[in-house]
Amino acid sequence: MTALAVEALTAGYDRSTVLSGIDLSVPTGGALGLLGRNGVGKSTLVMTLMGLVSPTSGRVLLDGRDVAGLRPDLIARAGVAIVPQGRRIWASLSVAETLALATRGHGRRWTVDTVLDLLPRLRERLGQQAGQLSGGEQQMLAIARALLTDPALLLLDEPSDGLAPAIVDQISQLLTTLRGEGVTLLLVEQDLHLAFAVCDRIAVMEKGRIVHEVTTAEFRADRATAHRLLGVA
Amino acid sequence: MTGWVAANLISVLNGLAIGALLFVLAVGLSLVFGMMDVLNLAHGALFVVGAYVAAALTGGSASWGAFLGALGLAAVIGLLAGGLLSVMTEPLRRRSHLDQALLTLGVALIVAELLQILFGDDPLAVPAPPGLDGSTSIFGAAYPTYRLVLIGVGAVLAVGVWLLVERTTLGALVRATVADRDMVAAIGVDNRRVKITVFALGSLLATVAGVLGGPVYGASVGLDSTVLILALVVVVIGGLGSVRGALVGALVIGQIESLGRALLPDLASFVLFGALALVLVVRPRGLFGGRSGATA
Ligand SMILES: Nc1ncnc2c1ncn2[C@@H]1O[C@H](COP(=O)(O)OP(=O)(O)O)[C@@H](O)[C@H]1O
Ligand SMILES: [Mg+2]
């Protein structure tokens, strides 16, 4: 089964094409790590998959159903959720309000209670305004918000960005737990350790294209390629 | 200070009455603009429609039935007109703010023209309901009873709107949409449904404000731009999409309007726009504005 199959997807903004023919697929329950230098179009890809950037051509198949060009709320209802770059939590809402709002009742796997069991820090912050949380807590809230929509496919865009190593470890464990629950993951990351710990395959983007895709073990073994594509050892 | 306030009590009360009315009027404008970037320049026209509904139903003679009937009819018209405006601006969603503003300005001009054809050029009076048309003595000064009631009704409406926005799930949805509407869509909510709801309720408040303001301002075609400008100043001062901002902005502008006219009649609009300029220089996003939800 293929949870997500992207075929020849192109997209961009008013005057610029950013994605020039993306092909990738993630099997149900799989986790694909998406790496690449700044500005190559990783966030644009994630936003296009969520329907927040309109594709100009190509297909986005969820369990075989093409959702390319649908409104984001319909894509959400089709089982996709996003933890966007920069978290984008609703700063003026309390944690409890955010969680209540995200519980849309079109799924039953995650409830506020089970999500809070997974993210106990948030339980102590329920009455607090989201904008007043620490960076790590905001990231947890963004993840909780996404989970409560009961996604089959979770898109995460640099969830470790700006967080202390201890928090990144927690996120790593959390994502591993989610994989155990059968959630399919597409994880954009700069933190290679996090991507390696969570994902079974690694893809690399360059200028709007996927230029390399291998298993995590193969990627780790081939330092020369990693260095060439990412400028890291 | 107290002596000064006592001496200017009438003016302060007038300011409160204007402020209460302005809040009811401006809060819908602010939420629609803050949420969806739609600047609804027909908002003043909605107020005037409410005023004409009141003038037409009361027909110059005071009766509670006619006044309450006008409130009900204006509320229904407001709901429908808001829904219609929301649908009309939808196709322009991906165009510039100016396109949407021009569309609503066009609607405002058409409405003004229609009202003129229907009711003529002369301003119409709206009598206050029986029992409220006299005056009440406050610290020895006679003050129109209706304006006192208006302050009370405005306060009740303000508390109601505040509770709705700050304490209910619908309100949380509205605040989330103001903060980051893409993320609201990403949890499976159709942005257009939030917009149509807020547009309809905000327009209802505008037409209701028109009825409530009727006994004070009457009904006249030129009123819509005056009212629109005041509401825009309130929104800019208070900050887009903020209920608290609209409340504070309305109370401040109410006082400036009223005190300005009492103390410096010739300079009242300079004082008004001076306050606007001051706020824009010191806090460009308004006193309570600013979207922090979308930043990293
Ligand atoms: N909202 C936007 N409007 C216009 N251009 C954008 C927008 N977001 C990103 N871009 C441009 O698209 C390109 C890809 O950006 P992005 O997808 O954010 O890359 P990445 O996530 O890989 O760093 C960059 O050149 C960036 O400047
Ligand atoms: Mg990015």
Side-chain angles (χ1 to χ4, degrees):
Chain A
M1 279 292 280
T2 311
L4 171 70
V6 178
E7 297 173 357
L9 185 69
T10 64
Y13 305 96
D14 280 352
R15 258 174 277 283
S16 60
T17 299
V18 175
L19 305 180
S20 39
I22 297 280
D23 291 280
L24 62 81
S25 74
V26 190
T28 302
L32 177 67
L34 186 61
L35 312 179
R37 291 189 165 94
N38 264 333
V40 296
K42 304 180 300 293
S43 294
T44 303
L45 173 58
V46 164
M47 295 295 271
T48 306
L49 295 178
M50 191 70 237
L52 293 168
V53 169
S54 304
T56 42
S57 67
R59 303 209 297 167
V60 175
L61 304 170
L62 299 177
D63 285 325
R65 174 179 163 227
D66 190 3
V67 298
L70 289 188
R71 287 200 319 265
D73 53 295
L74 297 177
I75 291 180
R77 281 158 194 264
V80 184
I82 187 172
V83 177
Q85 185 161 22
R87 301 156 198 147
R88 295 178 68 168
I89 45 100
W90 302 303
S92 54
L93 271 66
S94 71
V95 170
E97 284 175 328
T98 303
L99 300 180
L101 211 56
T103 310
R104 304 302 304 166
H106 45 74
R108 288 278 137 241
R109 184 150 90 208
W110 298 101
T111 63
V112 171
D113 245 8
T114 55
V115 165
L116 287 177
D117 286 344
L118 219 52
L119 300 162
R121 290 269 291 264
L122 289 181
R123 206 186 277 283
E124 301 154 22
R125 299 276 183 274
L126 280 175
Q128 212 156 329
Q129 281 217 331
Q132 249 115 63
L133 300 177
S134 70
E137 289 162 351
Q138 290 191 2
Q139 193 59 267
M140 305 276 175
L141 182 61
I143 294 173
R145 177 175 69 182
L147 283 181
L148 284 168
T149 69
D150 251 315
L153 169 66
L154 182 57
L155 313 168
L156 300 115
D157 196 349
E158 304 200 18
S160 75
D161 192 25
L163 301 184
I167 311 276
V168 177
D169 281 347
Q170 287 179 26
I171 289 181
S172 177
Q173 283 166 26
L174 175 64
L175 295 183
T176 307
T177 308
L178 292 183
R179 289 204 58 186
E181 299 280 332
V183 179
T184 306
L185 302 180
L186 177 63
L187 172 65
V188 173
E189 255 308 331
Q190 304 277 3
D191 183 329
L192 296 188
H193 294 292
L194 177 57
F196 293 162
V198 173
C199 302
D200 39 31
R201 292 185 72 81
I202 300 289
V204 181
M205 263 180 92
E206 239 176 21
K207 286 193 217 140
R209 284 209 166 77
I210 306 275
V211 292
H212 187 59
E213 198 201 319
V214 291
T215 65
T216 301
E218 286 166 336
F219 190 87
R220 300 185 73 163
D222 185 359
R223 287 172 172 248
T225 305
H227 186 74
R228 178 170 57 78
L229 293 171
L230 302 171
V232 293
Chain B
M1 188 71 197
T2 333
W4 184 83
V5 168
N8 290 283
L9 185 65
I10 301 295
S11 165
V12 170
L13 285 176
N14 278 336
L16 275 179
I18 298 174
L21 207 55
L22 268 182
F23 170 76
V24 176
L25 180 69
V27 70
L29 190 67
S30 177
L31 286 178
V32 170
F33 200 177
M35 259 185 8
M36 295 293 171
D37 295 335
V38 178
L39 177 56
N40 177 22
L41 295 180
H43 209 70
L46 292 168
F47 178 94
V48 175
V49 166
Y52 272 104
V53 166
L57 289 199
T58 53
S61 61
S63 103
W64 272 101
F67 195 78
L68 294 177
L71 277 175
L73 181 59
V76 173
I77 292 175
L79 274 181
L80 295 177
L84 195 65
L85 280 166
S86 178
V87 172
M88 282 172 71
T89 50
E90 196 54 37
L92 298 180
R93 197 163 54 92
R94 291 180 187 282
R95 307 257 296 264
S96 74
H97 300 180
L98 186 61
D99 290 341
Q100 298 179 334
L102 283 177
L103 177 72
T104 58
L105 180 63
V107 171
L109 294 175
I110 291 171
V111 169
E113 200 65 32
L114 285 176
L115 289 173
Q116 208 157 10
I117 292 171
L118 280 173
F119 296 100
D121 290 335
D122 298 331
L124 301 178
V126 178
L132 304 183
D133 45 3
S135 56
T136 304
S137 157
I138 300 173
F139 299 118
Y143 192 77
T145 308
Y146 182 78
R147 291 193 187 197
L148 287 178
V149 174
L150 184 59
I151 294 172
V153 172
V156 168
L157 281 175
V159 170
V161 170
W162 187 84
L163 286 176
L164 183 67
V165 173
E166 298 293 332
R167 289 282 180 271
T168 67
T169 310
L170 175 65
L173 187 56
V174 169
R175 281 178 289 132
T177 309
V178 171
D180 192 331
R181 63 173 179 261
D182 278 355
M183 287 305 117
V184 172
I187 60 163
V189 178
D190 185 349
N191 285 156
R192 293 173 306 175
R193 294 177 64 166
V194 185
K195 177 183 161 195
I196 209 170
T197 306
V198 173
F199 226 126
L201 290 176
S203 301
L204 175 153
L205 288 174
T207 48
V208 163
V211 176
L212 292 175
V216 181
Y217 297 103
S220 66
V221 172
L223 198 56
D224 68 334
S225 47
T226 312
V227 156
L228 177 64
I229 287 170
L230 282 176
L232 285 173
V233 173
V234 167
V235 169
V236 172
I237 287 188
L240 294 182
S242 162
V243 174
R244 212 167 5 141
L247 182 58
V248 173
L251 291 176
V252 168
I253 294 305
Q255 290 307 328
I256 289 178
E257 262 291 283
S258 153
L259 278 178
R261 287 200 192 289
L263 301 177
L264 309 161
D266 298 331
L267 296 177
S269 34
F270 287 101
V271 176
L272 180 66
F273 290 108
L276 177 64
L278 188 69
V279 168
L280 284 180
V281 168
V282 180
R283 300 211 39 155
R285 283 157 172 253
L287 297 177
F288 296 90
R291 294 176 200 184
S292 41
T295 53

